[in-house]
């Protein structure tokens, strides 16, 4: 098992359809002992069911928009685990009014700040608090999206925030490498999640993705989870600062193959 004797903290499980839930399932299958954070009591109900299925009773409240909450969450985790082997940051948010319409018309200073704070800075903030507790050869992982490097209708300021997150991944990798801590990101294709539902015309995005991707389909949370398990395992000990695409090859295709053939 890839993650036998590893302890991994998972942040960002909203419900059973979350990418973070798929990652947690794959990591549990590969032998990891898991802990989870949740933002508020509303999300705890869904998380409790998932955590129980994955043999975890370590559920800790953490609001990543609040530095004290982040500090408190790792202090609470230290009561259960004195050391652990990494965490998964599957957190992203922008106000709904930022995710619909023409980018230059709808983007506001406040929306821009919120998107970057929650979606990017929180990864650094968590790494800072986790660092003293991380074992040798630990791994941190975050989730990004193609909107970081290509424009996507209605994704708007989240694309900028994801670009920041990817730069964040590289700078954290350089900063933590001397401590033998690896930092990577997965750029996942569109998956039906609670977060994705906030992007206007998301169903149309799924259809376009399937038509253009070389594999002719979208990907599943389990497929993302399998790559996440590998990147957090000792088999990936030489990989850091990388953005790994798990999107059926969509990012490499300028247009569907059959359009060339017709």
């Amino acid at each position: 098992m890839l993650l036998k004797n590893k302890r991994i903290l998972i942040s960002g499980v909203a419900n059973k359809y979350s990418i973070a839930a798929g990652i947690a399932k794959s990591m549990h299958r590969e032998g990891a002992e898991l802990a989870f954070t949740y933002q508020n009591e509303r999300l705890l109900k869904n998380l409790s069911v998932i955590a129980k299925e994955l043999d975890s009773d370590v559920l800790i409240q953490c609001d990543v928009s609040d530095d004290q909450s982040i500090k408190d969450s790792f202090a609470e985790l230290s009561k259960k685990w004195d050391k652990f082997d990494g965490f998964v940051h599957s957190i992203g948010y922008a106000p709904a009014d930022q995710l619909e319409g023409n980018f230059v018309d709808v983007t506001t200073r406040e929306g821009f700040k919120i998107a970057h704070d929650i979606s990017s800075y929180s990864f650094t903030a968590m790494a800072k608090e986790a660092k003293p507790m991380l074992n040798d050869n630990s791994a941190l992982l975050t989730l990004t999206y193609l909107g970081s490097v290509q424009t996507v209708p209605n994704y708007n300021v989240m694309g900028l925030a994801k670009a920041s997150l990817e730069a964040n991944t590289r700078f954290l990798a350089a900063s933590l490498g001397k401590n033998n801590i690896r930092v990577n990101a997965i750029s996942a294709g569109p998956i039906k999640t609670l977060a994705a539902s906030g992007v206007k015309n998301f169903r149309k995005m799924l259809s376009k993705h399937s038509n253009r991707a070389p594999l002719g389909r979208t990907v599943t949370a389990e497929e993302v989870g399998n790559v996440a398990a590998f990147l957090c395992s000792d088999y990936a000990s030489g990989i850091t600062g990388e953005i790994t695409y798990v999107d059926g090859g969509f990012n490499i295709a300028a247009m569907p193959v059959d359009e060339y053939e017709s």
Side-chain angles (χ1 to χ4, degrees):
M1 290 189 283
L2 290 178
L3 297 173
K4 186 177 180 180
N5 299 322
K6 297 280 191 183
R7 287 175 164 177
I8 307 290
L9 174 68
I10 309 281
S11 296
V13 177
N15 56 39
K16 63 182 180 181
Y17 303 109
S18 299
I19 294 176
I23 290 173
K25 290 174 185 176
S26 292
M27 289 187 164
H28 175 260
R29 184 198 66 221
E30 294 300 326
E33 182 182 349
L34 301 177
F36 297 87
T37 69
Y38 62 93
Q39 181 187 6
N40 53 41
E41 293 297 322
R42 180 177 62 84
L43 295 172
L44 177 59
K45 182 178 180 181
N46 288 334
L47 176 59
S48 297
V49 175
I50 296 167
K52 185 176 181 180
E53 292 175 351
L54 301 178
D55 303 317
S56 175
D57 60 357
V58 185
L59 284 70
I60 298 169
Q61 187 166 8
C62 179
D63 180 349
V64 297
S65 68
D66 183 336
D67 285 337
Q68 190 58 52
S69 180
I70 296 173
K71 288 179 182 290
D72 291 345
S73 68
F74 281 98
E76 188 65 26
L77 180 63
S78 69
K79 297 176 183 178
K80 302 285 186 177
W81 296 347
D82 57 340
K83 290 284 187 177
F84 67 111
D85 302 285
F87 67 81
V88 175
H89 171 275
S90 183
I91 298 170
Y93 175 78
D97 64 358
Q98 303 292 289
L99 301 176
E100 177 179 350
N102 187 40
F103 170 72
V104 75
D105 296 329
V106 302
T107 302
T108 64
R109 184 182 299 275
E110 186 64 16
F112 190 101
K113 287 167 60 177
I114 291 171
H116 283 73
D117 181 24
I118 303 300
S119 308
S120 180
Y121 176 71
S122 63
F123 190 35
T124 299
M126 290 182 66
K128 186 180 296 187
E129 294 302 323
K131 182 182 173 184
M133 297 174 61
L134 291 172
N135 285 320
D136 189 57
N137 200 29
S138 287
L140 311 185
L141 183 71
T142 190
L143 275 293
T144 183
Y145 178 58
L146 185 65
S148 63
V149 293
Q150 296 182 18
T151 59
V152 177
N154 298 308
Y155 201 60
N156 294 344
V157 75
M158 276 301 296
L160 282 68
K162 291 297 188 182
S164 169
L165 179 64
E166 292 182 12
N168 198 345
T169 298
R170 292 186 286 271
F171 275 85
L172 280 173
S175 179
L176 296 172
K178 60 181 175 292
N179 302 106
N180 203 24
I181 298 169
R182 298 178 295 106
V183 187
N184 291 291
I186 290 176
S187 185
I191 297 172
K192 292 180 182 178
T193 65
L194 182 63
S197 66
V199 179
K200 187 181 180 184
N201 294 329
F202 182 74
R203 288 181 181 277
K204 187 177 292 186
M205 184 187 296
L206 287 173
S207 176
K208 293 288 186 182
H209 183 101
S210 296
N211 290 339
R212 194 172 107 185
L215 290 183
R217 61 175 177 82
T218 56
V219 296
T220 66
E222 181 182 5
E223 288 177 309
V224 176
N226 291 340
V227 177
F230 163 71
L231 286 173
C232 290
S233 77
D234 291 344
Y235 285 93
S237 60
I239 302 173
T240 194
E242 292 296 321
I243 314 300
T244 301
Y245 285 87
V246 184
D247 65 354
F250 182 88
N251 73 95
I252 69 163
M255 63 181 72
V257 173
D258 57 11
E259 291 190 17
Y260 290 96
E261 297 172 341
S262 60

